[in-house]
Amino acid sequence: MPDFSPFDVAAAVPAGPTGLGSYTLSLRSALLPSHPRFEEGDGHEDGGRLPSAAGGSLAPLAYHEREWGDGTYPPLYCPETARVDDALGAEVDRRLVAWAERIGLHEGRIEEFAATGFGRLAMLAHADTDDPDQLLIAAQMNAAWWAADDYYADETDLGATPTELPPRLALVTSAMDPPPDAGDYTAQLEEQIRGDPVLVSLRSARSHVSRHATPSQIMRICNITSQMYVSWAAYAAWRYLETPPPVWRYLAARQHDSFYTSMTLIDIVGGYELPANLFAERRFHTALMQAGTASVLVNDLHSAAKEAADELPDSNVILLMAAEEGCSTREATERTVHLHNAFVRGFEQSQRALAAVPSPELKRYLRGAQAWMGGCLEWHGSTTRYQS
């Protein structure tokens, strides 16, 4: 592999309107103006607070050995929580619950949904803005992704069935990324989408995202959501066949179904854009996957008991590790903590290497990934979702 030059990545980003870039600008000016259509009631509210001081900081957050759970397990190596503002989190949750009620998401379970605190998660994980409308973007998208997880993939008492999961996921893609009009067939698709609150939530959340994001950022979200669902289809097969995968195969799927998906919102919520070529650059991609995998292992640690109690237990690294290696759940938990800490240290090394790249947006995004890891750990320790 050739030596890494800090200009390898930066050189891939056009510096100005020359060559192909100037042609693209000319082409854009020749096209009719774009007038995006937003979904009515997508939660957007004009006005808000100014970006916080943290939004201008590029300095990495500090790492700590952090207790979790009941405090009897080894600590998790994780960045510090960048910001705790309970009033701001409550405001985002207020807007989120009002949006969910308006579109019919979690009907009959709205109090349980409100107690989960996805608005608080957004406040904790996205520390570089104090604007509740910007934070609502993350709260809505995460709530919609989790709703698909509950109603389609995991919770049998909510109607999740392995055989129905793949066709449902195909409709998710069409809800978020509408295909070209196919006449009466499109009308039937539209009827199906409007009759499913999960699909409505994903489309409505995407509408709100599009008020703040560039076309490149929107397509990034749609594509990575679809990438995540490839792993979900694998989980469905394992559950239906009742053949738990080996740990290595689970992790291969889980690393593409991690909080990496949620982290694709970092720059959108922060009000800036990491150029597409930087986002797709291999070293940055690896770093963000390390952060996303570490955070999803936190989820596995907190959700193992809940998932083990389901009629059709979902894949969870702790449960799989204990069964495969014939060890206790506690030993498997400790091994998972060690695995989490290795991913965080890997991200730490990646962040140091990428510090040489002359891009403020890249440094800000990496700091945002740290904030996501720290906020994710804070949220999992306080949400009601994993306490039953």
Side-chain angles (χ1 to χ4, degrees), residues 63-127:
Y63 292 85
H64 302 284
E65 299 278 351
R66 298 179 57 175
E67 287 190 357
W68 65 281
D70 61 7
T72 64
Y73 293 99
L76 291 164
Y77 185 69
C78 190
E80 64 189 4
T81 300
R83 187 263 307 279
V84 177
D85 184 336
D86 290 330
L88 178 58
E91 172 60 17
V92 180
D93 270 317
R94 181 192 67 78
R95 298 184 184 203
L96 179 69
V97 172
W99 167 77
E101 289 183 306
R102 190 161 54 245
I103 65 174
L105 184 64
H106 295 299
E107 185 175 356
R109 303 174 64 244
I110 199 68
E111 291 185 4
E112 180 181 345
F113 170 69
T116 300
F118 286 111
R120 176 175 170 79
L121 172 61
M123 175 274 294
L124 292 168
H126 297 274

Side-chain angles (χ1 to χ4, degrees), residues 122-134:
M123 175 274 294
L124 292 168
H126 297 274
D128 56 356
T129 182
D130 288 337
D131 185 337
D133 191 62
Q134 295 280 132

